[in-house]
Amino acid sequence: MSTVPKLELVKTVLDRVQRHVKTQRSNSRNEALLQAAAMLFASRGFLATSMRDIAKAVDMLPGSIYYHFPSKDDLLLAIYQAGVEQISATFTEAVTPLDDPWQRLSAGMAALVRAVTEESSGTRVIFKVMPDDVPRYRDELIAFRDEFEALFRDLIEQLPLQPNVDKHLVRLMMLGAGNHAQLWFSREGPYTPDEIGEQFCHYLQHATARAEP
Amino acid sequence: MSTVPKLELVKTVLDRVQRHVKTQRSNSRNEALLQAAAMLFASRGFLATSMRDIAKAVDMLPGSIYYHFPSKDDLLLAIYQAGVEQISATFTEAVTPLDDPWQRLSAGMAALVRAVTEESSGTRVIFKVMPDDVPRYRDELIAFRDEFEALFRDLIEQLPLQPNVDKHLVRLMMLGAGNHAQLWFSREGPYTPDEIGEQFCHYLQHATARAEP
DNA sequence: ACCTTAAACAAACAAGCGTTTGTCTAATTA
DNA sequence: TAATTAGACAAACGCTTGTTTGTTTAAGGT
């Protein structure tokens, strides 16, 4: 056991530790690395993306990545975490100012479709990369997903639905519809992501069937 | 040019040719191979399944598979083709005897959810394995998918919808909802695949929102 | 009985994978 | 100025991948 160190020394050490803990290591290329990996994971998938692909995207040698992240799996974990944080924030921000439950769902669906179609963001990774692709972090990734889906569950819960409608099924239906947009959405298409989300909500709220003539 | 061969000889030759053309090669383990590969592709995905995994599943050595199929890609192609044929048949069989457009969609959705949740069949592969995972056959796989989606499109087309409802969006919404069921469906859950498909259709047809009090 | 063929085996192939190692340089800290 | 550290490089590691090769065995046709 050493003697009590001076206050300044303690501060300095803490600063250094924080700098190591807050981000994975320091800061500079770290962000670029996350962003490049996120883009590749989102478009090609996790298994189809190699560390060499990622390295090439940030103009770096494969081995150098391991200075910033301890493994490919951890790289995905970091992206997942950041992705969930971002979509949860965006989602909450869009929903909270609204009072009407249907308007809230409409805004939520819009946020969801925006997330799965955003081109340069980690939010897409959450919906593209399946937890089973990373056995080591399977449970953690599922937990991250649940974190977002809980917000969505609350939104559905507050909906004034007819008594014979199962809210559980409604949630899965809307989540599936929104999620699926990542496979067919195109910037050249006739709708914005927001419009798609809002339309989906609209179809659920109002009868789409024409009244009997 | 040779002289006209005897009839028997022609028959024999044709038989042999047919035996080679109808299935990839002969018949015996071929079917087991397709089925095992389909199950693995459907549950783990294409990239996460190795030829050694498939070989182990049929109790065979990895190299032996190449007697029956020229490559891993071709194995998937065969599964995809058979899968599309089967789901198209099931789909048509369920829909054609019905007249009412909404009943037809209901039966179609039920068939779709059945297909994506069936545990030992190639139909699941179509919705699990993305064409981009197999660059060599990307276009062919997409064509197979389209073959089925065309049936679905026709179903939606005949729906008597309100004039402000975009049938294109409705189709993508329902396809997404059904497709997504593969990720959350459980045999221990409260609903059968048919019930799920029918409910989804019901939600689209009737107003789910409770009338204003 | 002979010949052919179906079907599998055993063993290796080259390429690509995630990762580790040791070294060098430029910047920061003391 | 001297010591330390951040950050990247170059090269290899062990392993898995899809696939190929040469050989063997057992059945079928003539």
Side-chain angles (χ1 to χ4, degrees), chain A residues 47-48 102 130 160-162 165-166 169-170 172-173 176-177 179-180 184 191 199-200 203-205 207-210, chain B residues 47-48 102 160-162 165-166 169-170 172-173 176-177 179-180 183-184 191 199-200 203-205 207-210:
Chain A
L47 294 174
W102 283 104
M130 298 284 121
L161 298 178
Q162 295 192 3
V165 172
D166 186 333
L169 268 187
V170 167
L172 292 167
M173 175 177 171
N179 205 330
H180 191 246
W184 53 264
Y191 299 108
Q199 281 299 304
F200 283 177
Y203 297 159
L204 183 72
Q205 182 179 189
T208 57
R210 179 145 55 187
Chain B
L47 294 174
W102 283 103
L161 297 179
Q162 296 193 4
V165 172
D166 186 333
L169 269 187
V170 167
L172 292 167
M173 175 176 171
N179 206 328
H180 192 246
L183 297 181
W184 54 263
Y191 299 108
Q199 281 298 305
F200 283 177
Y203 297 160
L204 183 73
Q205 181 178 190
T208 58
R210 179 146 56 189

Side-chain angles (χ1 to χ4, degrees), chain B residues 31-107:
Chain B
E31 200 61 31
L33 212 39
L34 280 172
Q35 196 156 331
M39 200 193 65
L40 287 167
F41 289 163
S43 55
R44 303 186 200 174
F46 181 74
L47 294 174
T49 302
S50 73
M51 292 299 268
R52 284 161 180 84
D53 292 334
I54 299 169
K56 203 169 290 175
V58 294
D59 206 44
M60 201 186 252
L61 291 195
S64 305
I65 300 177
Y66 288 82
Y67 175 80
H68 304 275
F69 293 92
S71 75
K72 190 189 179 189
D73 292 355
D74 285 273
L75 197 41
L76 179 72
L77 193 69
I79 292 169
Y80 235 79
Q81 178 158 32
V84 166
E85 271 174 31
Q86 192 188 316
I87 192 181
S88 294
T90 306
F91 189 90
T92 305
E93 190 179 348
V95 162
T96 41
L98 301 173
D99 280 333
D100 178 63
W102 283 103
Q103 270 190 276
R104 286 164 67 89
L105 179 63
S106 186

Side-chain angles (χ1 to χ4, degrees), chain B residues 42 76 79-88 121-131 141 144-145 148 179 182:
Chain B
L76 179 72
I79 292 169
Y80 235 79
Q81 178 158 32
V84 166
E85 271 174 31
Q86 192 188 316
I87 192 181
S88 294
S121 171
T123 57
R124 246 173 75 206
V125 177
I126 305 162
F127 301 95
K128 168 85 171 189
V129 178
M130 297 285 119
L141 298 186
F144 278 134
R145 278 167 167 255
F148 164 72
N179 206 328
Q182 75 178 287

Side-chain angles (χ1 to χ4, degrees), chain A residues 109 112 152 170-178 200-201 204, chain B residues 173:
Chain A
M109 283 296 294
L112 172 61
F152 208 88
V170 167
R171 182 182 116 255
L172 292 167
M173 175 177 171
M174 299 312 279
L175 218 42
F200 283 177
C201 177
L204 183 72
Chain B
M173 175 176 171

Side-chain angles (χ1 to χ4, degrees), chain A residues 134-147:
Chain A
V134 193
R136 207 181 128 204
Y137 287 142
R138 200 191 88 103
D139 295 350
E140 285 84 344
L141 298 186
I142 290 177
F144 278 134
R145 278 166 167 255
D146 287 348
E147 203 171 301

Side-chain angles (χ1 to χ4, degrees), chain A residues 54-122:
Chain A
I54 300 169
K56 203 168 291 175
V58 295
D59 206 45
M60 200 186 253
L61 290 196
S64 305
I65 299 177
Y66 288 82
Y67 174 81
H68 304 275
F69 294 92
S71 75
K72 189 189 180 188
D73 292 355
D74 285 273
L75 197 41
L76 178 71
L77 193 68
I79 292 169
Y80 236 78
Q81 179 158 32
V84 166
E85 271 174 32
Q86 190 188 317
I87 191 181
S88 294
T90 306
F91 189 89
T92 305
E93 190 180 348
V95 163
T96 42
L98 302 172
D99 280 333
D100 178 62
W102 283 104
Q103 270 190 276
R104 284 164 67 89
L105 179 63
S106 186
M109 283 296 294
L112 172 61
V113 177
R114 246 184 286 126
V116 303
T117 59
E118 226 157 62
E119 47 190 340
S120 70
S121 169

